[in-house]
Amino acid sequence: MAPRMDAFWMPFTANRDFKQSPRLLARAEGMHYWTPEGREVLDGTAGLWCVNAGHARPRIVEAIARQAATLDFAPPFQMAHPLAFELAERLIELTPPGLNRVFYTNSGSESVETALKIALAYHRMRGEAQRTRLIGRERGYHGVNFAGTALGGMGPNRKMFGASVAGVDHLRHTHDLTRNAFSKGQPEHGVELAEDLERLVTLHDPSTIAAVIVEPMAGSTGVLLPPKGYLQRLREICDKHGILLIFDEVITGFGRLGSPFAAQHYGVTPDMITAAKGVTNGCIPMGVVFTKQEIHDTFMEKSGPGIELFHGYTYSSHPMACAAALATLDTYAEENLLTRGARMEAKMQEAAHALKGLPHVIDIRNTGLVAAIEFAPRPGAPVGRRGFEAFLGAFEKGVLVRAAGDNIAISPPLIIQEQQIDQIFSTMREVIESLA
């Protein structure tokens, strides 16, 4: 019996269209979903960039059930539970050296808000309260809270809500189809786009800028990779002017590119990393902010007695989330999943780029276990229509991918096998050949 659908206002969804022709998922295991009718669907998106170890992994399921029966909730303010400390120690084994302090949140959006608030408070603690300006980047996505929306660079996410946060500016995006179309891995051209930060520094005065936040690889706008040398140059400019550099690794963290974090993959260490999604394999909501010790120590040394940071959430370090995260890290370690993307990259690259030359395909991009196919917009149709039709076509043929405008993003669980990569891209070939 189909559920009534009136009451649920769905997020990031065309509600009126969806409820006329709903796409429902009833259960999941391993690499697959099943619809209520029993139709099998290969998960080509790791849920929503988050189910990195595959669905319904027994170790994780059992850890959640055991924790629910042992300690279902513990207050995080002025109290704690042992798993929160154990998990923090496990997590910093995966981060670049120096990023060894952990603050818990419940989502990527909350991680971004937390990191930006820490940045503002850090400068104030150091006697530079005038550093209030925050810099994002066009075509960036940093969640949907006020600061994340303002710092993000996706027009539709911003236009409905007005300015939301003052004192924000944006770097230009790095997507250059003219010079970099069909790149394999990092594009060759575009390092000079990092100089945009020097332009903004000159415009606003470096002493007013608190932080720059970028996704090392922008996922939600269609898998936009950084040009070679770009992130290194951003790091240099931030160091020159005393600006904090934040990497939003909500998507790239926990193995997506073939390293635990994109910071290691690209050889650039930021001052903070925001993470979520893969930390619990998507099973229980959780987010994390990693900071350099120097940032943490500034709060410990320069605040007055009592609370050092007036920030946190009721569900920060939730016991069930910590249990899920510890079991997820065990699963990643036992199966070497955090580096598996590097081993599978050549297969993914070959399969993705084999679609070059198909109708309407104007670019293909890939790195690790992630790829994107970009379509030319259909003349006279809304932007993204061709991409959405490709998403629908793939779902009807038993493969779940993600539409991002006129891009199809493919980011399967890290447990994917070669024949399943072939299935995803052979299905995409059929779908693309049928697109108008």
Side-chain angles (χ1 to χ4, degrees), residues 409-424:
I410 296 165
S411 58
L414 305 177
I415 62 171
I416 193 169
Q417 301 298 314
E418 290 194 358
Q419 66 268 27
Q420 292 166 332
I421 293 176
D422 288 335
Q423 179 184 346
I424 290 172

Side-chain angles (χ1 to χ4, degrees), residues 214-434:
V214 296
E215 298 164 277
M217 180 207 80
S220 295
T221 50
V223 186
L224 309 182
L225 278 67
K228 291 180 179 177
Y230 174 86
L231 295 174
Q232 287 81 357
R233 183 61 184 138
L234 281 187
R235 176 74 276 181
E236 291 169 358
I237 297 170
C238 286
D239 286 343
K240 175 182 174 182
H241 297 293
I243 300 167
L244 295 180
L245 178 61
I246 303 168
F247 278 2
D248 185 339
E249 295 220 36
V250 171
I251 283 176
T252 55
F254 300 100
R256 179 54 50 192
L257 306 189
S259 298
F261 292 92
Q264 292 130 330
H265 181 76
Y266 293 121
V268 179
T269 301
D271 300 295
M272 286 186 268
I273 288 176
T274 64
K277 294 189 184 289
V279 67
T280 61
N281 201 44
C283 292
I284 299 283
M286 187 177 218
V288 183
V289 178
F290 299 100
T291 76
K292 285 187 173 178
Q293 182 170 340
E294 191 273 332
I295 294 174
H296 167 272
D297 289 352
T298 296
F299 285 86
M300 300 303 113
E301 295 165 5
K302 295 187 177 296
S303 63
I307 295 170
E308 298 92 5
L309 176 63
F310 286 83
H311 177 76
Y313 304 95
T314 298
Y315 300 118
S316 293
S317 70
H318 193 286
M320 288 171 62
C322 289
L326 286 164
T328 296
L329 295 184
D330 287 341
T331 302
Y332 289 157
E334 287 177 2
E335 301 177 19
N336 295 313
L337 292 181
L338 296 185
T339 55
R340 194 165 188 270
R343 300 192 297 277
M344 299 294 285
E345 181 176 32
K347 174 63 179 178
M348 183 78 123
Q349 179 170 284
E350 177 188 18
H353 284 270
L355 304 183
K356 182 178 179 180
L358 291 183
H360 316 302
V361 174
I362 60 174
D363 193 18
I364 295 169
R365 303 176 289 276
N366 76 284
T367 184
L369 270 173
V370 60
I373 307 160
E374 183 167 352
F375 303 116
R378 180 178 296 143
V383 173
R385 190 63 205 171
R386 189 168 269 151
F388 188 70
E389 289 178 5
F391 154 74
L392 291 178
F395 181 71
E396 290 303 316
K397 292 179 180 292
V399 173
L400 181 64
V401 294
R402 177 157 173 74
D406 277 311
N407 300 275
I408 289 294
I410 296 165
S411 58
L414 305 177
I415 62 171
I416 193 169
Q417 301 298 314
E418 290 194 358
Q419 66 268 27
Q420 292 166 332
I421 293 176
D422 288 335
Q423 179 184 346
I424 290 172
F425 287 99
S426 63
T427 298
M428 290 311 306
R429 176 178 290 276
E430 292 178 22
V431 169
I432 293 167
E433 289 175 340
S434 69

Side-chain angles (χ1 to χ4, degrees), residues 6 21 30 67 130 139 310 335 360:
D6 293 345
S21 182
Q67 189 60 42
Q130 79 282 357
R139 297 192 69 168
F310 286 83
E335 301 177 19
H360 316 302

Side-chain angles (χ1 to χ4, degrees), residues 174 393-394:
T174 61

Side-chain angles (χ1 to χ4, degrees), residues 143 183 188 224:
S183 294
E188 294 289 340
L224 309 182

Side-chain angles (χ1 to χ4, degrees), residues 111-195:
S111 291
V112 166
E113 301 288 308
T114 297
L116 294 172
K117 289 179 72 175
I118 288 173
L120 295 172
Y122 165 77
H123 288 299
R124 184 174 290 270
M125 288 276 186
R126 296 172 62 251
E128 294 190 78
Q130 79 282 357
R131 287 189 183 265
T132 58
R133 187 168 294 278
L134 301 167
I135 307 296
R137 187 172 59 192
E138 295 171 350
R139 297 192 69 168
Y141 179 71
H142 302 297
V144 295
N145 291 351
F146 271 97
T149 299
L151 271 292
M154 298 174 67
N157 288 9
R158 294 158 50 89
K159 66 182 181 181
M160 187 176 289
F161 308 106
S164 66
V165 173
V168 166
D169 211 333
H170 291 80
L171 305 166
R172 286 177 293 170
H173 67 75
T174 61
H175 190 39
D176 187 344
L177 273 175
T178 302
R179 297 189 295 170
N180 292 327
F182 299 100
S183 294
K184 298 177 179 179
Q186 282 187 269
E188 294 289 340
H189 306 288
V191 63
E192 71 281 357
L193 292 167
E195 301 303 324

